[in-house]
Amino acid sequence: ETGVTQTPRHLVMGMTNKKSLKCEQHLGHNAMYWYKQSAKKPLELMFVYSLEERVENNSVPSRFSPECPNSSHLFLHLHTLQPEDSALYLCASSQVVRQGDGYTFGSGTRLTVV
Amino acid sequence: GDSVTQMEGPVTLSEEAFLTINCTYTATGYPSLFWYVQYPGEGLQLLLKATKADDKGSNKGFEATYRKETTSFHLEKGSVQVSDSAVYFCALSDQGQAGTALIFGKGTTLSVSS
């Protein structure tokens, strides 16, 4: 596989469930990102991992918990979510010192909280 | 802080019409500039980029020129097709800042009819 792969593509979960989103990149990048995209809202940066260390957390509620076990994998653990958390969650990767190359995005996970 | 402002949508055009989507930015450093496109149900794809003033990025008939004097990076296409219907995002990245994420505009929806 090439590029950035996100699984699952679609997820429906109850407010008391625990689930995880997975992101894998096959590009040899060393930075990974989680974005949230809600209807009629700008893209929201949630977490940034650079060289496997978290470098930014934009005041995301604790019901979202990221994990980056290595430079190729990124997870977003979800628990006790709210209906307003329903959104498209996008993962991206890049090379830290080559910002001019931009990011490569996955296709996203469409999350619905019921 | 750095920011990106792009024109509000939706933009509705007939096939073969000329397209312009305006984008202006505010940055303290020397950013790279990008246009991303998001087709329905998909993640973001890099459309084109420019890394320094007066550079012109181009791809699939789309063009944008990095204008430092007007802090702009407007997207243009001479003749749009129905298949160009998507959401377009302007973004910037400050070079040399490890772990700094891309900053996106709010997106402009383009709808092309035949």
Side-chain angles (χ1 to χ4, degrees):
Chain A
E1 290 205 48
T2 59
V4 178
T5 303
Q6 290 188 242
T7 54
R9 288 296 305 271
H10 301 274
L11 177 63
V12 179
M13 59 185 289
M15 290 190 284
T16 58
N17 290 160
K18 289 185 180 181
K19 295 286 185 184
S20 295
L21 310 185
K22 179 182 177 182
C23 177
E24 184 173 3
Q25 58 96 0
H26 307 271
L27 300 166
H29 289 164
N30 52 20
M32 297 186 78
Y33 313 83
W34 280 116
Y35 280 88
K36 176 183 178 183
Q37 186 177 34
S38 305
K40 303 186 190 235
K41 282 187 174 181
L43 279 162
E44 299 173 56
L45 176 65
M46 300 177 73
F47 300 103
V48 177
Y49 277 85
S50 175
L51 303 173
E52 300 168 37
E53 290 191 11
R54 189 192 304 180
V55 296
E56 190 163 344
N57 172 358
N58 285 337
S59 303
V60 177
S62 59
R63 57 185 183 269
F64 295 92
S65 175
E67 179 189 2
C68 187
N70 55 61
S71 60
S72 298
H73 294 86
L74 183 65
F75 295 89
L76 187 63
H77 304 299
L78 317 170
H79 65 96
T80 58
L81 294 190
Q82 305 298 311
E84 61 264 28
D85 297 322
S86 298
L88 181 67
Y89 288 84
L90 293 165
C91 173
S93 69
S94 73
Q95 279 295 105
V96 170
V97 293
R98 292 176 59 180
Q99 295 293 315
D101 289 347
Y103 294 3
T104 301
F105 281 83
S107 296
T109 295
R110 173 69 64 184
L111 173 66
T112 303
V113 181
V114 297
Chain B
D2 295 355
S3 66
V4 174
T5 303
Q6 60 182 107
M7 61 188 288
E8 297 281 332
V11 174
T12 304
L13 294 173
S14 298
E15 207 164 24
E16 299 183 5
F18 184 85
L19 168 71
T20 300
I21 300 178
N22 291 336
C23 172
T24 57
Y25 67 90
T26 303
T28 53
Y30 299 93
S32 294
L33 301 174
F34 307 86
W35 277 101
Y36 281 81
V37 58
Q38 185 178 31
Y39 298 103
E42 296 295 325
L44 277 68
Q45 301 174 26
L46 179 63
L47 180 60
L48 53 84
K49 67 178 183 181
T51 57
K52 61 183 188 296
D54 300 325
D55 269 2
K56 178 187 280 189
S58 61
N59 186 24
K60 299 180 183 178
F62 290 90
E63 294 183 340
T65 301
Y66 190 143
R67 301 282 188 203
K68 192 163 184 244
E69 63 277 12
T70 54
T71 62
S72 65
F73 193 56
H74 304 321
L75 182 68
E76 296 181 337
K77 186 174 186 183
S79 176
V80 294
Q81 305 300 312
V82 172
S83 57
D84 294 325
S85 298
V87 182
Y88 292 81
F89 294 90
C90 185
L92 72 80
S93 170
D94 264 336
Q95 292 176 332
Q97 295 189 31
T100 301
L102 276 177
I103 297 169
F104 287 90
K106 293 183 178 181
T108 302
T109 299
L110 170 65
S111 178
V112 180
S113 58
S114 57

